[in-house]
Structure formats: structure tokens, C-alpha cells
Coordinates of all heavy atoms in Angstrom, one line a residue:
M1 N 0.3 8.7 -3.6 CA -0.3 8.7 -2.3 C 0.3 7.5 -1.5 O 0.7 6.6 -2.1 CB -1.8 8.4 -2.4 CG -2.6 9.4 -3.2 SD -3.2 10.8 -2.4 CE -3.9 10.2 -1.0
Y2 N 0.3 7.7 -0.2 CA 0.8 6.6 0.7 C 0.2 6.7 2.0 O -0.3 7.7 2.5 CB 2.3 6.6 0.7 CG 2.9 7.7 1.6 CD1 3.2 7.4 3.0 CD2 3.2 8.9 1.1 CE1 3.8 8.4 3.8 CE2 3.7 9.9 1.9 CZ 4.0 9.7 3.2 OH 4.5 10.6 4.0
F3 N 0.2 5.6 2.7 CA -0.1 5.6 4.1 C 0.9 4.5 4.8 O 1.4 3.6 4.1 CB -1.6 5.3 4.5 CG -2.0 3.9 4.1 CD1 -2.1 3.0 5.1 CD2 -2.5 3.6 2.9 CE1 -2.6 1.7 4.8 CE2 -3.0 2.4 2.5 CZ -3.0 1.4 3.5
R4 N 1.1 4.6 6.1 CA 2.0 3.8 6.7 C 1.6 3.5 8.2 O 0.7 4.2 8.7 CB 3.5 4.4 6.7 CG 3.5 5.7 7.5 CD 4.8 6.4 7.3 NE 4.7 7.7 8.0 CZ 5.7 8.3 8.5 NH1 7.0 7.8 8.3 NH2 5.7 9.4 9.1
G5 N 2.3 2.6 8.8 CA 2.0 2.3 10.2 C 2.8 1.1 10.7 O 3.6 0.6 10.1
K6 N 2.4 0.7 11.9 CA 2.9 -0.6 12.6 C 1.7 -1.3 13.1 O 0.7 -0.8 13.6 CB 3.8 -0.2 13.7 CG 5.1 0.4 13.4 CD 6.0 0.6 14.6 CE 7.4 1.1 14.2 NZ 8.2 1.2 15.3
T7 N 1.8 -2.7 13.0 CA 0.7 -3.5 13.5 C 1.2 -5.0 13.7 O 2.3 -5.3 13.2 CB -0.4 -3.5 12.5 OG1 -1.6 -4.2 13.1 CG2 -0.1 -4.1 11.2
T8 N 0.4 -5.8 14.3 CA 0.6 -7.2 14.3 C -0.5 -8.0 13.6 O -0.5 -9.2 13.6 CB 0.7 -7.7 15.8 OG1 -0.5 -7.3 16.4 CG2 1.9 -7.1 16.6
A9 N -1.4 -7.2 13.0 CA -2.5 -7.8 12.3 C -2.2 -8.6 11.1 O -1.1 -8.4 10.5 CB -3.5 -6.7 11.9
K10 N -3.0 -9.5 10.7 CA -2.9 -10.3 9.5 C -3.4 -9.6 8.2 O -3.4 -10.2 7.2 CB -3.6 -11.7 9.6 CG -3.2 -12.5 10.8 CD -2.0 -13.4 10.4 CE -1.7 -14.3 11.6 NZ -0.4 -14.7 11.7
Y11 N -3.8 -8.4 8.4 CA -4.3 -7.6 7.3 C -4.1 -6.1 7.5 O -3.9 -5.7 8.7 CB -5.9 -7.8 7.1 CG -6.6 -7.6 8.4 CD1 -7.1 -6.3 8.7 CD2 -6.8 -8.6 9.3 CE1 -7.8 -6.0 9.8 CE2 -7.6 -8.4 10.4 CZ -8.0 -7.1 10.7 OH -8.7 -6.8 11.9
I12 N -4.0 -5.3 6.5 CA -3.9 -3.9 6.5 C -5.1 -3.3 5.8 O -5.4 -3.8 4.6 CB -2.6 -3.4 5.8 CG1 -1.4 -4.0 6.5 CG2 -2.6 -1.9 5.8 CD1 -0.1 -3.8 5.7
I13 N -5.9 -2.5 6.4 CA -7.1 -1.9 5.8 C -6.7 -0.6 5.1 O -6.1 0.3 5.7 CB -8.2 -1.8 6.8 CG1 -8.6 -3.1 7.4 CG2 -9.4 -1.1 6.2 CD1 -9.5 -3.0 8.6
F14 N -7.2 -0.4 3.9 CA -7.0 0.8 3.1 C -7.8 1.9 3.8 O -8.9 1.7 4.3 CB -7.5 0.7 1.7 CG -6.6 -0.1 0.8 CD1 -7.0 -1.3 0.3 CD2 -5.4 0.3 0.4 CE1 -6.3 -2.1 -0.5 CE2 -4.6 -0.4 -0.4 CZ -5.0 -1.6 -0.9
P15 N -7.3 3.1 3.8 CA -8.2 4.3 4.2 C -9.4 4.4 3.3 O -9.3 4.0 2.2 CB -7.2 5.5 4.0 CG -5.9 5.0 4.0 CD -5.9 3.6 3.4
V16 N -10.5 4.9 3.8 CA -11.7 5.0 3.1 C -11.6 5.7 1.8 O -12.1 5.4 0.7 CB -12.8 5.6 4.0 CG1 -14.1 5.8 3.2 CG2 -13.1 4.8 5.2
E17 N -10.8 6.8 1.8 CA -10.6 7.7 0.6 C -10.0 7.0 -0.5 O -10.1 7.4 -1.7 CB -9.8 8.9 1.0 CG -10.3 9.8 2.1 CD -10.1 9.3 3.5 OE1 -9.3 8.3 3.7 OE2 -10.7 9.8 4.4
W18 N -9.2 5.9 -0.3 CA -8.5 5.2 -1.3 C -9.4 4.6 -2.4 O -9.0 4.5 -3.5 CB -7.5 4.2 -0.8 CG -6.2 4.8 -0.4 CD1 -6.0 5.9 0.4 CD2 -4.9 4.4 -0.7 NE1 -4.7 6.2 0.5 CE2 -4.0 5.2 -0.1 CE3 -4.4 3.3 -1.4 CZ2 -2.7 5.1 -0.3 CZ3 -3.1 3.1 -1.5 CH2 -2.2 4.0 -1.0
E19 N -10.6 4.3 -2.0 CA -11.5 3.6 -2.9 C -11.8 4.5 -4.1 O -11.8 4.0 -5.3 CB -12.8 3.2 -2.2 CG -13.8 2.5 -3.1 CD -15.0 2.1 -2.4 OE1 -15.0 1.9 -1.2 OE2 -16.1 1.8 -3.1
W20 N -12.0 5.8 -3.9 CA -12.3 6.7 -5.0 C -11.1 7.5 -5.5 O -11.1 8.1 -6.5 CB -13.4 7.6 -4.7 CG -13.2 8.5 -3.4 CD1 -13.5 8.2 -2.1 CD2 -12.6 9.7 -3.4 NE1 -13.2 9.2 -1.3 CE2 -12.6 10.2 -2.0 CE3 -12.0 10.6 -4.4 CZ2 -12.1 11.4 -1.6 CZ3 -11.5 11.8 -3.9 CH2 -11.5 12.2 -2.6
L21 N -10.0 7.5 -4.7 CA -8.8 8.3 -5.0 C -7.7 7.7 -5.6 O -6.9 8.3 -6.4 CB -8.4 9.1 -3.7 CG -7.4 10.1 -3.7 CD1 -7.9 11.4 -4.6 CD2 -7.1 10.7 -2.4
V22 N -7.5 6.4 -5.4 CA -6.3 5.7 -5.8 C -6.7 4.5 -6.8 O -7.6 3.8 -6.6 CB -5.6 5.1 -4.6 CG1 -4.4 4.2 -5.0 CG2 -5.1 6.2 -3.7
D23 N -5.8 4.4 -7.8 CA -6.0 3.3 -8.8 C -5.4 2.0 -8.1 O -4.2 1.9 -7.9 CB -5.2 3.6 -10.0 CG -5.2 2.5 -11.1 OD1 -5.8 1.4 -10.8 OD2 -4.7 2.7 -12.1
L24 N -6.2 1.1 -7.7 CA -5.8 0.0 -6.9 C -4.9 -1.0 -7.6 O -4.2 -1.8 -7.0 CB -6.9 -0.8 -6.2 CG -7.8 0.1 -5.3 CD1 -9.0 -0.8 -4.8 CD2 -7.0 0.5 -4.1
T25 N -4.9 -0.8 -9.0 CA -3.9 -1.7 -9.8 C -2.5 -1.2 -9.7 O -1.6 -1.9 -10.1 CB -4.3 -1.8 -11.2 OG1 -4.2 -0.5 -11.8 CG2 -5.8 -2.2 -11.4
T26 N -2.2 -0.1 -9.1 CA -0.9 0.5 -8.9 C -0.3 0.4 -7.5 O 0.7 0.9 -7.2 CB -0.9 2.0 -9.3 OG1 -1.7 2.7 -8.3 CG2 -1.5 2.2 -10.7
V27 N -1.1 -0.3 -6.6 CA -0.7 -0.4 -5.2 C 0.6 -1.2 -5.1 O 0.8 -2.3 -5.7 CB -1.8 -1.0 -4.4 CG1 -1.3 -1.4 -3.0 CG2 -3.0 -0.1 -4.3
T28 N 1.6 -0.7 -4.3 CA 2.8 -1.3 -3.9 C 2.9 -1.3 -2.4 O 2.6 -0.3 -1.7 CB 4.0 -0.6 -4.5 OG1 3.9 -0.5 -5.8 CG2 5.3 -1.3 -4.1
V29 N 3.3 -2.5 -1.8 CA 3.4 -2.6 -0.3 C 4.8 -2.9 0.1 O 5.4 -3.9 -0.5 CB 2.4 -3.7 0.2 CG1 2.4 -3.7 1.7 CG2 1.0 -3.5 -0.3
S30 N 5.4 -2.2 1.0 CA 6.6 -2.6 1.6 C 6.4 -2.9 3.1 O 5.8 -2.1 3.8 CB 7.6 -1.4 1.6 OG 7.9 -1.1 0.2
I31 N 6.9 -4.1 3.5 CA 6.7 -4.5 4.9 C 8.0 -4.9 5.5 O 8.9 -5.5 4.8 CB 5.7 -5.6 5.1 CG1 5.9 -6.7 4.1 CG2 4.3 -5.1 4.9 CD1 4.9 -7.9 4.1
T32 N 8.2 -4.5 6.8 CA 9.5 -4.9 7.5 C 9.1 -5.5 8.9 O 8.5 -4.8 9.7 CB 10.4 -3.6 7.7 OG1 10.6 -3.0 6.4 CG2 11.7 -4.0 8.3
S33 N 9.6 -6.7 9.1 CA 9.3 -7.4 10.4 C 10.2 -6.8 11.5 O 11.4 -6.5 11.2 CB 9.6 -8.9 10.2 OG 9.6 -9.5 11.5
S34 N 9.7 -6.6 12.7 CA 10.4 -6.1 13.8 C 11.2 -7.2 14.5 O 12.1 -7.0 15.3 CB 9.4 -5.5 14.8 OG 8.8 -4.4 14.3
C35 N 10.9 -8.5 14.2 CA 11.6 -9.6 14.8 C 12.3 -10.5 13.8 O 12.8 -11.6 14.2 CB 10.6 -10.5 15.6 SG 9.3 -11.3 14.6
G36 N 12.5 -10.1 12.6 CA 13.2 -10.8 11.6 C 12.6 -11.9 10.9 O 13.2 -12.7 10.2
E37 N 11.3 -12.1 11.1 CA 10.5 -13.1 10.4 C 10.3 -12.8 8.9 O 10.4 -11.7 8.5 CB 9.1 -13.3 11.0 CG 9.2 -13.9 12.4 CD 7.8 -14.2 12.9 OE1 6.8 -13.8 12.4 OE2 7.8 -15.0 13.9
N38 N 10.1 -13.8 8.1 CA 9.9 -13.7 6.7 C 8.4 -13.4 6.5 O 7.6 -14.4 6.4 CB 10.3 -14.9 5.9 CG 11.8 -15.1 5.9 OD1 12.5 -14.1 5.8 ND2 12.3 -16.3 5.9
I39 N 8.0 -12.2 6.4 CA 6.6 -11.8 6.2 C 6.4 -11.5 4.7 O 7.3 -11.1 4.0 CB 6.1 -10.7 7.1 CG1 7.0 -9.4 6.9 CG2 6.1 -11.1 8.6 CD1 6.5 -8.2 7.7
F40 N 5.1 -11.6 4.3 CA 4.9 -11.4 2.8 C 3.4 -10.9 2.6 O 2.6 -11.1 3.5 CB 5.2 -12.6 2.0 CG 4.4 -13.9 2.5 CD1 3.2 -14.2 2.1 CD2 5.0 -14.7 3.5 CE1 2.5 -15.3 2.5 CE2 4.4 -15.8 4.0 CZ 3.1 -16.1 3.5
V41 N 3.2 -10.4 1.4 CA 1.8 -10.0 1.1 C 1.2 -11.2 0.4 O 1.7 -11.7 -0.6 CB 1.9 -8.8 0.1 CG1 0.5 -8.4 -0.4 CG2 2.5 -7.5 0.7
N42 N 0.1 -11.6 1.0 CA -0.7 -12.7 0.4 C -1.5 -12.3 -0.8 O -1.5 -12.9 -1.8 CB -1.7 -13.3 1.4 CG -1.1 -14.4 2.3 OD1 -0.1 -15.1 1.9 ND2 -1.6 -14.4 3.5
E43 N -2.3 -11.2 -0.6 CA -3.2 -10.7 -1.6 C -3.6 -9.3 -1.3 O -3.6 -8.8 -0.2 CB -4.5 -11.6 -1.5 CG -5.4 -11.4 -2.6 CD -6.6 -12.4 -2.5 OE1 -6.9 -13.0 -1.4 OE2 -7.2 -12.7 -3.6
I44 N -3.8 -8.5 -2.4 CA -4.3 -7.2 -2.4 C -5.7 -7.1 -2.9 O -5.8 -7.4 -4.1 CB -3.3 -6.2 -3.1 CG1 -1.9 -6.2 -2.5 CG2 -3.9 -4.8 -3.0 CD1 -0.9 -5.4 -3.3
L45 N -6.6 -6.8 -2.1 CA -8.0 -6.8 -2.5 C -8.5 -5.3 -2.6 O -7.7 -4.4 -2.4 CB -8.9 -7.5 -1.6 CG -8.5 -9.0 -1.4 CD1 -9.3 -9.7 -0.3 CD2 -8.8 -9.7 -2.8
N46 N -9.8 -5.0 -2.8 CA -10.3 -3.7 -2.9 C -10.1 -2.8 -1.7 O -9.9 -1.6 -1.8 CB -11.8 -3.7 -3.3 CG -11.9 -4.2 -4.8 OD1 -11.0 -4.1 -5.6 ND2 -13.1 -4.7 -5.1
S47 N -10.2 -3.4 -0.5 CA -10.1 -2.5 0.7 C -9.2 -3.1 1.7 O -9.0 -2.5 2.8 CB -11.5 -2.4 1.3 OG -12.0 -3.6 1.7
V48 N -8.4 -4.2 1.4 CA -7.6 -4.8 2.4 C -6.4 -5.5 1.8 O -6.5 -6.0 0.6 CB -8.4 -5.8 3.3 CG1 -8.8 -7.0 2.5 CG2 -7.6 -6.2 4.6
I49 N -5.3 -5.5 2.5 CA -4.1 -6.2 2.1 C -3.9 -7.4 3.1 O -3.8 -7.1 4.3 CB -2.8 -5.3 2.1 CG1 -3.1 -4.1 1.2 CG2 -1.6 -6.1 1.7 CD1 -2.1 -3.0 1.4
S50 N -3.9 -8.6 2.6 CA -3.7 -9.8 3.5 C -2.2 -10.0 3.6 O -1.4 -10.1 2.6 CB -4.4 -11.0 2.8 OG -4.1 -12.2 3.5
I51 N -1.7 -10.2 4.9 CA -0.3 -10.4 5.2 C -0.1 -11.8 5.7 O -0.9 -12.3 6.5 CB 0.2 -9.4 6.2 CG1 -0.1 -7.9 5.8 CG2 1.7 -9.6 6.6 CD1 0.7 -7.5 4.6
G52 N 1.0 -12.5 5.3 CA 1.2 -13.8 5.8 C 2.6 -13.9 6.5 O 3.5 -13.1 6.2
G53 N 2.8 -14.9 7.3 CA 4.1 -15.2 7.9 C 4.4 -14.4 9.1 O 5.5 -14.5 9.6
N54 N 3.5 -13.5 9.6 CA 3.8 -12.7 10.7 C 3.2 -13.2 12.0 O 2.1 -13.7 12.1 CB 3.4 -11.2 10.5 CG 1.9 -11.1 10.4 OD1 1.2 -11.8 9.7 ND2 1.3 -10.2 11.2
T55 N 4.1 -13.2 13.1 CA 3.6 -13.4 14.4 C 4.1 -12.3 15.4 O 4.0 -12.4 16.6 CB 4.1 -14.8 14.9 OG1 5.5 -14.8 14.9 CG2 3.6 -15.9 14.1
C56 N 4.7 -11.3 14.8 CA 5.2 -10.2 15.6 C 4.8 -8.9 14.9 O 4.3 -8.8 13.9 CB 6.7 -10.3 15.9 SG 7.7 -10.1 14.4
E57 N 5.2 -7.8 15.5 CA 4.9 -6.5 15.0 C 5.7 -6.2 13.7 O 6.9 -6.7 13.6 CB 5.3 -5.4 16.0 CG 4.9 -3.9 15.5 CD 5.1 -2.9 16.6 OE1 6.3 -2.6 16.9 OE2 4.1 -2.4 17.1
Y58 N 5.1 -5.5 12.7 CA 5.8 -5.1 11.5 C 5.4 -3.7 11.1 O 4.4 -3.2 11.5 CB 5.5 -6.2 10.4 CG 4.1 -6.2 10.0 CD1 3.6 -5.5 8.9 CD2 3.2 -7.1 10.6 CE1 2.3 -5.5 8.6 CE2 1.9 -7.2 10.2 CZ 1.4 -6.4 9.2 OH 0.1 -6.5 8.9
S59 N 6.3 -3.1 10.4 CA 6.0 -1.8 9.8 C 5.6 -1.9 8.3 O 6.1 -2.8 7.7 CB 7.3 -0.9 9.9 OG 7.7 -0.7 11.2
Y60 N 4.8 -1.0 7.9 CA 4.4 -1.1 6.5 C 4.2 0.3 5.9 O 4.0 1.3 6.6 CB 3.0 -1.8 6.3 CG 1.9 -1.2 7.0 CD1 1.1 -0.2 6.4 CD2 1.6 -1.5 8.3 CE1 0.1 0.4 7.1 CE2 0.5 -1.0 9.0 CZ -0.3 0.0 8.4 OH -1.3 0.6 9.0
V61 N 4.5 0.3 4.5 CA 4.2 1.6 3.8 C 3.4 1.1 2.5 O 3.9 0.1 1.9 CB 5.5 2.3 3.3 CG1 5.1 3.6 2.5 CG2 6.3 2.7 4.5
V62 N 2.3 1.7 2.2 CA 1.5 1.3 1.1 C 1.5 2.6 0.1 O 1.1 3.6 0.5 CB 0.1 0.9 1.5 CG1 -0.7 0.5 0.3 CG2 0.2 -0.2 2.5
Y63 N 1.9 2.4 -1.1 CA 1.8 3.4 -2.1 C 0.8 3.1 -3.2 O 0.6 1.9 -3.5 CB 3.2 3.5 -2.8 CG 4.4 3.8 -1.9 CD1 5.1 2.7 -1.4 CD2 4.7 5.1 -1.6 CE1 6.2 3.0 -0.6 CE2 5.8 5.3 -0.8 CZ 6.5 4.3 -0.3 OH 7.6 4.5 0.5
G64 N 0.3 4.2 -3.8 CA -0.6 4.0 -4.9 C -0.8 5.3 -5.7 O -0.6 6.4 -5.2
E65 N -1.0 5.2 -7.0 CA -1.2 6.3 -7.9 C -2.6 6.9 -7.8 O -3.5 6.1 -7.8 CB -0.8 6.0 -9.3 CG 0.6 5.6 -9.5 CD 0.9 5.3 -11.0 OE1 0.1 5.6 -11.8 OE2 2.0 4.7 -11.2
R66 N -2.7 8.2 -7.8 CA -4.1 8.8 -7.8 C -4.7 8.6 -9.2 O -4.1 8.5 -10.2 CB -3.9 10.3 -7.6 CG -3.5 10.6 -6.2 CD -3.4 12.1 -6.0 NE -4.7 12.7 -6.1 CZ -5.0 13.9 -5.6 NH1 -4.1 14.6 -4.9 NH2 -6.2 14.4 -5.7
K67 N -6.0 8.4 -9.1 CA -6.7 8.2 -10.4 C -7.7 9.4 -10.7 O -8.3 9.4 -11.8 CB -7.6 6.9 -10.4 CG -8.7 6.9 -9.3 CD -9.4 5.5 -9.4 CE -10.5 5.5 -8.3 NZ -11.2 4.2 -8.4
D68 N -7.7 10.4 -9.8 CA -8.6 11.5 -10.1 C -7.8 12.6 -10.9 O -8.5 13.6 -11.2 CB -9.1 12.1 -8.8 CG -8.1 12.6 -7.9 OD1 -6.9 12.1 -7.9 OD2 -8.3 13.6 -7.1
I69 N -6.6 12.5 -11.2 CA -5.8 13.4 -12.0 C -5.0 12.7 -13.1 O -4.8 11.5 -12.9 CB -4.9 14.3 -11.2 CG1 -3.9 13.4 -10.4 CG2 -5.7 15.2 -10.2 CD1 -2.8 14.2 -9.6
D70 N -4.7 13.4 -14.1 CA -3.9 12.8 -15.2 C -2.5 12.5 -14.7 O -1.9 13.3 -13.9 CB -3.9 13.7 -16.4 CG -5.2 13.8 -17.1 OD1 -6.0 12.8 -17.0 OD2 -5.5 14.8 -17.7
K71 N -1.8 11.5 -15.3 CA -0.4 11.2 -15.0 C 0.4 12.2 -15.6 O 0.1 12.8 -16.6 CB -0.1 9.8 -15.5 CG -0.8 8.7 -14.8 CD -0.4 7.4 -15.3 CE -1.2 6.3 -14.6 NZ -0.5 5.3 -14.0
M72 N 1.6 12.5 -14.9 CA 2.5 13.5 -15.5 C 3.2 13.0 -16.7 O 3.5 11.8 -16.8 CB 3.5 13.8 -14.4 CG 3.0 14.6 -13.3 SD 4.3 14.9 -12.0 CE 5.6 15.6 -12.9
D73 N 3.3 13.8 -17.7 CA 4.0 13.4 -18.9 C 5.4 14.0 -18.8 O 5.7 15.2 -18.9 CB 3.4 14.0 -20.2 CG 4.0 13.6 -21.5 OD1 4.7 12.5 -21.5 OD2 3.8 14.3 -22.5
I74 N 6.4 13.1 -18.5 CA 7.8 13.6 -18.3 C 8.6 13.4 -19.5 O 8.6 12.3 -20.2 CB 8.4 12.7 -17.2 CG1 7.6 12.9 -15.8 CG2 9.9 13.1 -16.9 CD1 8.0 12.1 -14.7
D75 N 9.2 14.5 -20.1 CA 9.9 14.4 -21.3 C 11.4 14.7 -20.9 O 11.8 15.8 -20.4 CB 9.4 15.6 -22.2 CG 10.1 15.5 -23.5 OD1 10.7 14.5 -23.9 OD2 10.1 16.6 -24.3
I76 N 12.2 13.7 -21.0 CA 13.6 13.7 -20.6 C 14.4 13.8 -21.9 O 14.4 13.0 -22.8 CB 14.0 12.5 -19.8 CG1 13.2 12.4 -18.5 CG2 15.5 12.6 -19.5 CD1 13.5 11.2 -17.7
E77 N 15.2 14.9 -22.0 CA 16.0 15.1 -23.2 C 17.3 14.4 -23.0 O 17.9 14.4 -21.8 CB 16.3 16.6 -23.5 CG 15.0 17.3 -23.8 CD 15.3 18.8 -24.1 OE1 16.4 19.1 -24.5 OE2 14.4 19.6 -24.0
N78 N 17.9 13.7 -24.0 CA 19.1 13.0 -23.9 C 20.2 13.9 -24.2 O 20.4 14.8 -24.8 CB 19.2 11.8 -24.9 CG 18.2 10.8 -24.5 OD1 17.9 10.6 -23.3 ND2 17.6 10.1 -25.5

């Protein structure tokens, strides 16, 4: 699962569905500053991602694995 967007906020709020649909221990965040600043993820909590170092707009993509279905068992033959 993923969601994405652009903002200048110091935090990114998870969609409501993520609480019951996504395993929050698998969350990965990619952020890109629009003005070249060094922005970073401070902390990932249950419903919000805290962002540091930003004073301008940035783009983000947040990924997470679903927890309501079993993980795929991939068998790769050598």
C-alpha cells in the first residue's frame, strides 16, 4: 500500500484506513525537498510521521505492507 502528496507541514498524517490495514512496523517514507534542503523523518508514530529540516514544500511517498492478508511466498529457482 502507499499514499503520496506534497506539503510544507512538519508532519504527514496516515490515512484512517492504515490503522487496521497496514503493519506500521513496515512503513517506509521517501521525501524530496522542492528547494534542496536536507529534510528527514524524525519519527514514525501510529498515525503520523514527524518531518524535520523543512521550511519549503516537499513531496512524499509512504509505503507499508498490508496486515489483513498473508505475505506472498516467493519461490525462486536457481
Side-chain angles (χ1 to χ4, degrees):
M1 304 274 310
Y2 74 93
F3 68 97
R4 62 189 179 150
K6 287 184 178 183
T7 187
T8 58
K10 301 272 186 210
Y11 55 87
I12 300 168
I13 299 173
F14 288 112
V16 175
E17 299 82 9
W18 274 49
E19 183 176 340
W20 59 268
L21 190 58
V22 174
D23 177 358
L24 297 179
T25 65
T26 67
V27 169
T28 302
V29 183
S30 296
I31 49 181
T32 304
S33 171
S34 297
C35 63
E37 291 185 347
N38 292 322
I39 57 174
F40 54 91
V41 174
N42 275 331
E43 189 173 25
I44 300 174
L45 302 171
N46 288 338
S47 62
V48 69
I49 301 163
S50 173
I51 305 296
N54 67 306
T55 59
C56 64
E57 185 174 69
Y58 62 93
S59 301
Y60 62 87
V61 181
V62 181
Y63 300 95
E65 294 179 14
R66 291 180 64 157
K67 65 180 179 182
D68 63 330
I69 58 175
D70 292 333
K71 294 183 187 232
M72 292 176 52
D73 184 22
I74 300 173
D75 185 19
I76 300 174
E77 294 183 26
N78 293 329

